[in-house]
Amino acid sequence: MDKITIHHLHSLKERGEPIVMLTCYDYPTATVLDQCGVDVVLVGDSLGMVVYGFENTLPVTMDMMVLHCQAVRRGVRRAFLIGDMPFMSYQTGTADALRNAGRLLAEGGADAVKLEGGQAVVETVRALVEAGIAVQGHIGLTPQSVSQMGGFRMQGKTVEAARRLIAEARALEQAGVFSLVLESIPAQLADLITRTISIPTLGIGAGPSCDGQVLVTHDLLGLFERFTPRFARRYTELADNMRTAFSAYRDDVHTRAFPAEEHTYRLPDDTWQAILSALDGNGA
Ligand code: KIV
């Protein structure tokens, strides 16, 4: 089982083989994802919404990201692990970006970092890459700018917006990103960008022509019920399964059907009698 590298991801694009990417926030899920041949695991700042229940990703801190990266790192052996740079961990200047990206690698164990934005982050990307840090870009719908964008809505619908996204993709490639997330843009535009740049594109709501696909794992599992984006496919209904399991447990406790004998530690009768006698038979 060879560990996935950037070189491998680039060769998948060259060979036209789709890259499989998912988000992950904890150790048990990381272990299972890794066993299933997922190529890229992203500890996304989406954890703010799907794990912590915030309205958006803005309250996520570096400390939260580092902690979740550490947990995921312990479960991932084969996949390429990316740590997401949270809101205001890189927008405040190159020095902050370097320090915080360094934390995701050194403390969190990530192989690379991801950050959102186009022209505004090009210089930051360049500085990180020059420092030896692998960076994944993210354009289109960038959730950290959700207010500016007027909500979680499709981007790149006009000539001007399409031209800007193509220019951003090129600028980020030149600045050294090793791959690029395209979120919530028309499939035709994602196809054009994918054919324009030589690094892999990972689409989320960007149609089938991207070099790979990424989803938020809680959407795929049916575990985040507040809303499901139009672009997400639910492969199971985990929240329903959990409700069934928790309700069955509740009923078993109420009826004393749980714990059964096989879940119970019980001393041999003679051992217990000896203990009882030593306790003067009154449990004192
Ligand atoms: O935070 C995240 O999960 C992401 C993915 C949606 C790409 O950025």
Side-chain angles (χ1 to χ4, degrees), residues 23 42 44-46 84 114 138 181 183 204 216:
T23 66
L42 169 69
D45 65 351
S46 50
D84 218 358
K114 176 172 84 57
H138 181 162
V181 170
E183 179 163 354
I204 174 161
V216 169

Side-chain angles (χ1 to χ4, degrees), residues 4 16 24 38 43 47 54 60 64 88 126 157 161 206 224 234 267 277 279:
I4 301 284
C24 184
V38 171
V43 183
L47 66 79
F54 294 127
V60 176
M64 289 158 80
M88 285 300 136
R126 217 185 296 281
K157 289 189 281 188
F224 181 66
R234 285 195 187 196
L267 294 171
S277 318
L279 292 172

Side-chain angles (χ1 to χ4, degrees), residues 39-248:
D39 301 307
V40 183
V41 170
L42 169 69
V43 183
D45 65 351
S46 50
L47 66 79
M49 297 174 74
V50 301
V51 175
Y52 287 91
F54 294 127
E55 279 300 306
N56 54 46
T57 59
L58 304 192
V60 176
T61 65
M62 271 305 299
D63 286 345
M64 289 158 80
M65 291 307 302
V66 168
L67 214 53
H68 285 273
C69 269
Q70 288 172 342
V72 172
R73 175 76 281 167
R74 291 182 202 113
V76 167
R77 302 202 187 292
R78 172 187 174 271
F80 191 78
L81 178 61
I82 302 178
D84 218 358
M85 300 280 285
F87 184 56
M88 285 300 136
S89 67
Y90 57 97
Q91 293 92 338
T92 48
T94 308
D96 283 349
L98 283 165
R99 186 171 47 253
N100 288 321
R103 282 193 69 193
L104 287 178
L105 267 57
E107 295 176 44
D111 298 312
V113 301
K114 176 172 84 57
L115 51 78
E116 297 179 6
Q119 300 293 349
V121 299
V122 163
E123 283 316 310
T124 303
V125 168
R126 217 185 296 281
L128 293 173
V129 172
E130 273 169 16
I133 297 173
V135 183
Q136 181 175 65
H138 181 162
I139 59 172
L141 171 58
T142 46
Q144 290 174 18
S145 317
V146 64
S147 302
Q148 244 178 6
M149 297 188 157
F152 293 95
R153 52 181 60 195
M154 182 170 73
Q155 302 295 307
K157 289 189 281 188
T158 64
V159 176
E160 190 196 343
R163 189 173 285 134
R164 194 181 60 244
L165 283 168
I166 294 165
E168 286 177 349
R170 287 198 175 118
L172 286 167
E173 178 181 29
Q174 272 172 14
V177 298
F178 71 91
S179 64
L180 186 60
V181 170
L182 303 176
E183 179 163 354
S184 297
I185 64 171
Q188 301 94 323
L189 178 57
D191 178 54
L192 181 60
I193 292 174
T194 298
R195 286 185 289 106
T196 302
I197 58 179
S198 60
I199 52 170
T201 58
L202 282 307
I204 174 161
S209 304
C210 295
D211 297 306
Q213 297 293 327
V214 51
L215 278 180
V216 169
T217 289
H218 285 49
D219 289 336
L220 176 157
L221 294 176
L223 195 50
F224 181 66
E225 297 191 297
R226 213 158 71 202
F227 64 86
T228 305
R230 181 187 133 94
F231 55 72
R233 178 179 287 171
R234 285 195 187 196
Y235 285 83
T236 185
E237 298 295 340
L238 210 50
D240 282 346
N241 296 345
M242 288 166 77
R243 270 187 287 270
T244 304
F246 296 151
S247 303

